[in-house]
């Protein structure tokens, strides 16, 4: 029997195929989402143990940035005075941590609007292949603003 994982829940592939009435080939790969927060803590510990630790961290998502915040504090370091920190998804709760997390925003709402419009255009018969570029935005907040003491 083959297992797969989704949101840390284990599923039996054959059972799910039957329940959902799907005709999909069985596979033997186990897919498990990474424990992102814990991996972020480990990565930050490694960075802080370097002979010359960083004075800034750009995390590839806000969850990793929140993990870094915890580790930085556990080392009695201050954000941003000792280490500046920036996330990369700008999740809503970036505004509710102290210090508020600076982050690169993906503008997912605009992405969804553009994708929906492209789908509507395709349904209406539009054959053009389009590339739409939606720029990111840097939301500067307290976690990356270094002030002189």
């Amino acid at each position: 029997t083959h297992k797969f994982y989704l949101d840390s829940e284990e599923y039996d592939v054959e059972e799910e195929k039957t329940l959902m009435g799907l005709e999909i080939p069985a596979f033997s790969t186990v897919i498990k989402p990474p424990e992102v927060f814990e991996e972020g803590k480990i990565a930050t510990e490694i960075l802080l143990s370097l002979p010359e630790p960083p004075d800034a961290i750009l995390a590839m998502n806000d969850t990793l940035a929140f993990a870094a915040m915890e580790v930085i504090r556990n080392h009695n370091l201050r954000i941003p005075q000792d280490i500046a920190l920036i996330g990369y998804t700008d999740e809503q709760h970036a505004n509710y941590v102290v210090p508020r997390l600076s982050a690169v925003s993906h503008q997912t709402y605009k992405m969804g609007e553009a994708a929906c419009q492209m789908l509507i255009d395709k349904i209406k018969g539009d054959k053009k292949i389009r590339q739409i570029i939606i720029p990111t935005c840097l939301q500067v907040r307290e976690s990356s603003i270094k002030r002189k003491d």
Side-chain angles (χ1 to χ4, degrees):
T1 181
H2 303 289
K3 305 277 185 197
F4 73 98
Y5 294 82
L6 182 62
D7 295 328
S8 299
E9 295 292 324
E10 183 179 289
Y11 296 91
D12 180 277
V13 172
E14 295 303 318
E15 183 180 313
E16 288 299 308
K17 284 179 10 182
T18 304
L19 288 174
M20 298 182 343
L22 299 174
E23 294 294 326
I24 57 173
F27 57 91
S28 59
T29 305
V30 174
I31 303 168
K32 185 173 182 183
E35 299 295 333
V36 175
F37 190 83
E38 291 304 316
E39 289 179 5
K41 288 170 58 175
I42 292 166
T44 305
E45 288 287 356
I46 291 168
L47 287 172
L48 295 182
S49 70
L50 293 171
E52 292 185 38
D55 64 355
I57 295 174
L58 171 60
M60 63 186 279
N61 62 50
D62 288 0
T63 302
L64 292 172
F66 298 137
M69 272 186 172
E70 182 177 310
V71 172
I72 291 166
R73 286 189 181 121
N74 289 343
H75 282 259
N76 295 316
L77 297 169
R78 301 166 301 156
I79 302 167
Q81 296 89 338
D82 299 317
I83 300 178
L85 186 59
I86 299 176
Y88 198 89
T89 44
D90 198 25
E91 297 170 14
Q92 183 178 1
H93 43 280
N95 283 298
Y96 304 119
V97 293
V98 176
R100 293 185 317 142
L101 181 65
S102 294
V104 176
S105 173
H106 293 282
Q107 300 196 69
T108 52
Y109 187 84
K110 286 185 180 180
M111 287 179 188
E113 280 183 327
C116 189
Q117 187 58 55
M118 290 172 68
L119 179 59
I120 290 168
D121 292 345
K122 288 287 180 199
I123 290 169
K124 290 180 177 178
D126 187 355
K127 304 284 186 211
K128 294 179 193 168
I129 296 175
R130 295 197 175 115
Q131 177 181 10
I132 298 175
I133 298 172
I134 299 172
T136 57
C137 297
L138 177 60
Q139 302 296 330
V140 179
R141 299 185 186 104
E142 291 84 12
S143 72
S144 64
I145 301 171
K146 291 197 176 207
R147 291 181 168 65
K148 294 183 181 182
D149 292 331

